[in-house]
């Protein structure tokens, strides 16, 4: 099977999704979900203690996904590691055959379950992208030679709902210059936001994989709305009225996918623990 | 200046347990400005400690308790210190330690130092400087991202801000939004990783 990096270079429509490592060492449920995604998605993001809630190391989970012939995308945040640890983990990933790295700043510890933790942010995402490219050149940040250089396929994130959007676009340009080959975005819910974003990124030479989110309850939709991710009022109403919010959420996501699948480079499905429904969603959206 | 808050009374009383005779030291500089250790606060502390049954052996608001010369000139020779079980210091940690270096009496810190910040008005203080050792303000329209971005990012904002506010506090301005408002330009310049050996702890500067 072609690797994610090769697919990125082709004209192929990219489908990725994400798995959340558990809090603890029991990976049975995660690996079962992963098994069901084999052959259906092109890459599986493994989050790095997302929302700053402590979880098992994504590097370990990525390795286990590789062993199961899945293509992991290792999410590496700047939140918890200084430059020594970041370089060290990048080398470790490469040695394990994990080449896809999604680089992000990481949700601040203050919003997570260890709010007392020391935030690190020794490097910012742009500095980390450059660092990964420096390592590929056979040197570390201190200018010391490496015994064996890594190879990466580097990604970064963008937020289509960010205001002012121009600022986010200029950040994407800066990330491309620093070494980003692809972007995965925060979720888009309304087509207007998508269209405006699409127009603004039309000149960027990169692959942009659009985030699509499975709303599984009204409460979750309201929470995301408060976080600044505009949820259309119609969706909120649908989720309020229905007796089966998960089914309603799946109908919504299928509609969205049908609307955008011919308009972008790929989609990134965020199913938040309901990954077992991804095959069905893709089938209903006529994407498999 | 150094912004501080007073420790809770119970905590101070806990540290003073078993110490009946207390000398109170205040600070005429930063702690006076943010009303945590000036003349008024020292008086108030004296009243409260007396109510708790403590004997106050003396009080003194030093010009700058962080300066050894002031401590020597105004405080260290006072006879009443010898008569005290403890010095309650209403100053930042520098004040406490400077006094501790010169006066061999048990010390109790009364304040929690918070940050180096600006005073909008009494009761509203904001952190503006991280003492980073390499001032960047020229490049960012006079607004420090290292200090005023919750993640200290140098090359532009994260994606977590909502409507110009920070992801950790919706009342806190995203400094990148403020910088962008001023420049209107994209953030093209690349900023290298910071050199933290410039501010290795403990800091030391010996000029002569």
């Amino acid at each position: 099977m072609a690797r994610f990096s090769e697919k990125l270079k082709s004209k192929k429509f990219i489908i990725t999704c994400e798995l959340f490592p558990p809090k603890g060492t029991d990976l049975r449920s995660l690996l079962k979900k992963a098994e069901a995604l084999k052959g259906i998605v092109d890459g599986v993001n493994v989050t790095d203690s997302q929302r700053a809630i402590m979880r098992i190391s994504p590097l370990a989970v990525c390795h286990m996904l590789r062993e199961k012939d899945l293509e992991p995308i290792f999410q590496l945040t700047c939140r918890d590691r200084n430059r020594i640890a970041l370089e060290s983990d990048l080398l470790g990933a490469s040695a394990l055959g994990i080449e896809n790295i999604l680089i992000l700043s990481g949700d601040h510890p203050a919003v997570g379950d260890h709010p007392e933790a020391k935030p690190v942010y020794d490097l910012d995402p742009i500095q980390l992208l450059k660092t990964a490219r420096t390592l590929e050149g056979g040197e570390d940040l201190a200018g010391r030679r490496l015994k064996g250089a890594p190879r990466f396929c580097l990604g970064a994130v963008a937020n289509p709902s960010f205001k002012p959007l121009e600022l986010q676009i200029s950040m994407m340009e800066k990330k491309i210059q620093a070494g980003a080959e692809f972007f995965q975005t925060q979720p888009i819910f309304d087509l207007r936001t998508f269209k405006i974003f699409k127009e603004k990124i039309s000149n960027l030479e990169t692959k942009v994989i659009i985030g699509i989110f499975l709303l599984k309850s009204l409460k979750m939709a309201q929470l995301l709305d408060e976080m600044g991710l505009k949820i259309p009022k119609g969706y909120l109403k649908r989720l309020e009225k229905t007796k089966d919010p998960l089914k309603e959420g799946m109908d919504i996501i299928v509609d969205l996918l049908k609307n955008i699948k011919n308009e972008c480079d790929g989609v990134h499905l965020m199913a938040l623990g309901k990954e077992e429904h991804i095959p069905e969603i893709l089938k209903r959206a006529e994407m498999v | 200046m150094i912004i501080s808050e007073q420790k809770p009374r119970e905590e101070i009383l806990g540290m003073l347990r078993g110490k009946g005779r207390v000398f109170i030291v205040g600070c005429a500089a930063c702690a006076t400005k943010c009303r945590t250790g000036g003349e008024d606060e020292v008086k108030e502390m004296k009243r409260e400690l007396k109510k708790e049954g403590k004997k106050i052996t003396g009080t003194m608001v030093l010009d700058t308790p962080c300066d050894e010369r002031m401590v020597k000139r105004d405080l260290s020779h006072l006879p009443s210190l010898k008569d005290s079980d403890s010095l309650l210091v209403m100053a930042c940690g520098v004040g406490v330690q400077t006094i501790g270096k010169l006066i061999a009496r048990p010390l109790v810190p009364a304040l929690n130092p918070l940050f180096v910040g600006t005073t909008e008005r009494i009761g509203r203080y904001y952190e503006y400087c991280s003492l980073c050792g390499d001032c960047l303000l020229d490049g960012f329209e006079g607004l420090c991202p290292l200090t005023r971005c919750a993640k200290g990012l140098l090359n532009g904002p994260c994606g977590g801000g909502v409507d110009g506010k920070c992801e950790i506090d919706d009342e806190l301005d995203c400094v990148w939004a403020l910088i962008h408002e001023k420049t209107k330009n994209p953030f093209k310049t690349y900023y290298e990783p910071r050199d933290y050996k410039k501010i290795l702890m403990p800091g030391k500067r010996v000029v002569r």
Side-chain angles (χ1 to χ4, degrees):
Chain A
M1 202 174 78
R3 293 211 71 170
F4 179 72
S5 54
E6 290 159 16
K7 289 179 185 170
L8 271 185
K9 285 186 193 105
S10 73
K11 291 223 158 24
K12 191 192 175 308
F13 187 83
I14 304 284
I15 301 173
T16 58
C17 65
E18 60 190 24
L19 288 175
F20 296 163
K23 199 187 252 304
T25 56
D26 183 353
L27 290 164
R28 282 173 297 182
S29 154
L30 180 138
L31 292 173
K32 201 174 143 207
K33 282 175 182 164
E35 201 71 46
L37 296 167
K38 206 187 281 184
I40 289 177
V41 297
D42 303 304
V44 178
N45 286 52
V46 183
T47 53
D48 183 10
S49 294
Q50 80 281 0
R51 298 304 297 159
I53 293 167
M54 191 285 297
R55 314 237 175 194
I56 191 171
S57 157
L59 191 50
V61 176
C62 285
H63 174 59
M64 292 170 91
L65 294 184
R66 280 277 295 156
E67 283 190 323
K68 292 203 168 280
D69 285 329
L70 276 134
E71 181 83 10
I73 300 170
F74 171 30
Q75 295 200 180
L76 184 63
T77 71
C78 302
R79 179 188 58 226
D80 309 316
R81 307 164 179 86
N82 70 5
R83 65 194 80 180
I84 300 173
L86 287 167
E87 289 178 278
S88 177
D89 277 356
L90 281 168
L91 294 179
S94 187
L96 289 169
I98 299 157
E99 65 171 22
N100 315 310
I101 319 279
L102 185 80
I103 285 174
L104 52 173
S105 64
D107 295 314
H108 196 282
V111 303
D113 71 349
H114 286 52
E116 309 84 359
K118 184 174 185 177
V120 181
Y121 303 107
D122 182 23
L123 301 183
D124 67 27
I126 287 169
Q127 293 163 344
L128 181 53
L129 283 162
K130 269 184 113 90
T131 300
R133 292 298 182 217
T134 303
L135 294 174
E136 284 185 323
E139 268 189 7
D140 68 8
L141 272 187
R144 308 280 291 261
R145 282 201 64 74
L146 302 177
K147 192 174 170 187
R151 284 295 307 155
F152 298 118
C153 173
L154 298 177
V157 291
N159 182 358
S161 310
F162 193 89
K163 283 180 196 155
L165 190 55
E166 292 71 35
L167 189 46
Q168 194 68 183
I169 306 301
S170 76
M171 288 304 291
M172 290 176 77
E173 285 169 358
K174 210 168 172 179
K175 287 175 178 178
I176 292 169
Q177 276 202 341
E181 292 162 66
F182 69 95
F183 286 86
Q184 288 175 310
T185 77
Q186 298 276 6
I188 284 183
F189 292 95
D190 68 306
L191 293 172
R192 212 179 112 74
T193 304
F194 172 71
K195 286 204 174 106
I196 295 169
F197 181 63
K198 193 191 161 198
E199 196 185 300
K200 296 268 185 203
I201 59 171
S202 58
N203 293 328
L204 299 182
E205 288 204 16
T206 186
K207 284 277 166 92
V208 182
I209 303 167
I210 302 292
I212 301 286
F213 197 100
L214 173 62
L215 295 167
K216 53 181 188 183
S217 69
L218 177 66
K219 203 177 140 199
M220 172 185 280
Q222 287 166 334
L223 190 74
L224 291 169
D225 199 46
E226 278 168 29
M227 284 163 62
L229 298 166
K230 263 193 283 169
I231 312 282
K233 294 253 178 326
Y235 290 173
L236 294 172
K237 267 203 188 115
R238 278 169 70 176
L239 288 164
E240 196 180 348
K241 279 187 180 156
T242 180
K243 284 199 178 102
D244 187 351
L246 180 61
K247 189 189 158 292
E248 197 65 40
M250 282 176 57
D251 291 347
I252 290 172
I253 201 172
V254 167
D255 277 354
L256 261 175
L257 285 169
K258 282 184 175 167
N259 271 307
I260 70 164
K261 67 178 180 182
N262 296 320
E263 308 277 329
C264 57
D265 299 326
V267 290
H268 176 63
L269 301 170
M270 298 176 221
L272 228 73
K274 298 285 176 197
E275 291 77 15
E276 63 273 22
H277 296 290
I278 286 177
E280 187 194 335
I281 289 169
L282 291 172
K283 204 171 150 203
R284 283 182 54 198
E286 292 154 22
M287 293 170 73
V288 278
Chain B
M1 71 175 180
I2 294 174
I3 308 301
S4 59
E5 63 176 12
Q6 282 192 3
K7 282 181 178 288
R9 283 291 186 271
E10 312 77 67
E11 189 184 344
I12 294 174
L13 289 172
M15 291 184 287
L16 287 173
R17 198 167 296 137
K19 293 168 178 138
R21 305 171 69 80
V22 180
F23 189 101
I24 305 173
V25 186
C27 160
C30 306
T32 290
K33 286 266 187 194
C34 49
R35 299 203 180 165
T36 51
E39 290 284 357
D40 292 348
E41 294 74 40
V42 166
K43 265 186 211 152
E44 170 72 17
M45 183 66 78
K46 180 178 172 181
R47 207 164 38 237
E48 289 201 20
L49 291 183
K50 273 173 125 174
K51 254 197 277 173
E52 296 291 330
K54 305 286 181 194
K55 159 94 180 139
I56 306 304
T57 53
T59 65
M60 159 79 66
V61 177
L62 289 174
D63 282 351
T64 43
C66 49
D67 184 338
E68 288 188 26
R69 296 164 303 172
M70 296 300 135
V71 178
K72 274 182 201 156
R73 191 188 73 187
D74 297 337
L75 185 68
S76 55
H77 56 82
L78 294 184
S80 50
L81 293 181
K82 289 205 179 67
D83 190 29
S84 312
D85 300 323
S86 171
L87 268 73
L88 180 67
V89 183
M90 300 176 74
C92 72
V94 184
V96 176
Q97 293 179 72
T98 306
I99 293 168
K101 189 172 170 186
L102 297 166
I103 298 169
R105 304 301 305 163
L107 296 181
V108 168
L111 307 186
N112 289 322
L114 299 171
F115 50 81
V116 177
T118 188
T119 309
E120 188 177 278
R121 58 177 169 80
I122 298 301
R124 280 184 189 266
Y125 311 102
Y126 298 94
E127 186 172 15
Y128 271 13
C129 177
S130 305
L131 310 176
C132 74
D134 188 8
C135 190
L136 288 163
L137 285 171
D138 182 50
F140 298 100
E141 301 291 317
L143 299 160
C144 178
L146 193 71
T147 310
R148 297 171 67 181
C149 163
K151 300 177 182 175
L153 308 180
L154 290 181
N155 282 292
C158 70
V162 180
D163 297 331
K165 301 293 177 186
C166 177
E167 81 174 25
I168 70 161
D169 179 352
D170 56 18
E171 287 180 11
L172 193 68
D173 288 322
C174 167
V175 74
W176 292 104
L178 297 180
I179 297 169
H180 187 254
E181 218 168 89
K182 276 187 148 184
T183 77
K184 302 285 181 205
N185 290 324
F187 301 124
K188 284 202 168 138
T189 312
Y190 172 69
Y191 287 88
E192 295 281 348
R194 301 288 297 169
D195 176 1
Y196 283 96
K197 81 180 172 300
K198 280 193 173 164
I199 49 164
L200 279 187
M201 287 200 292
K204 178 181 84 172
R205 180 165 162 80
V206 179
V207 182
R208 62 190 173 95

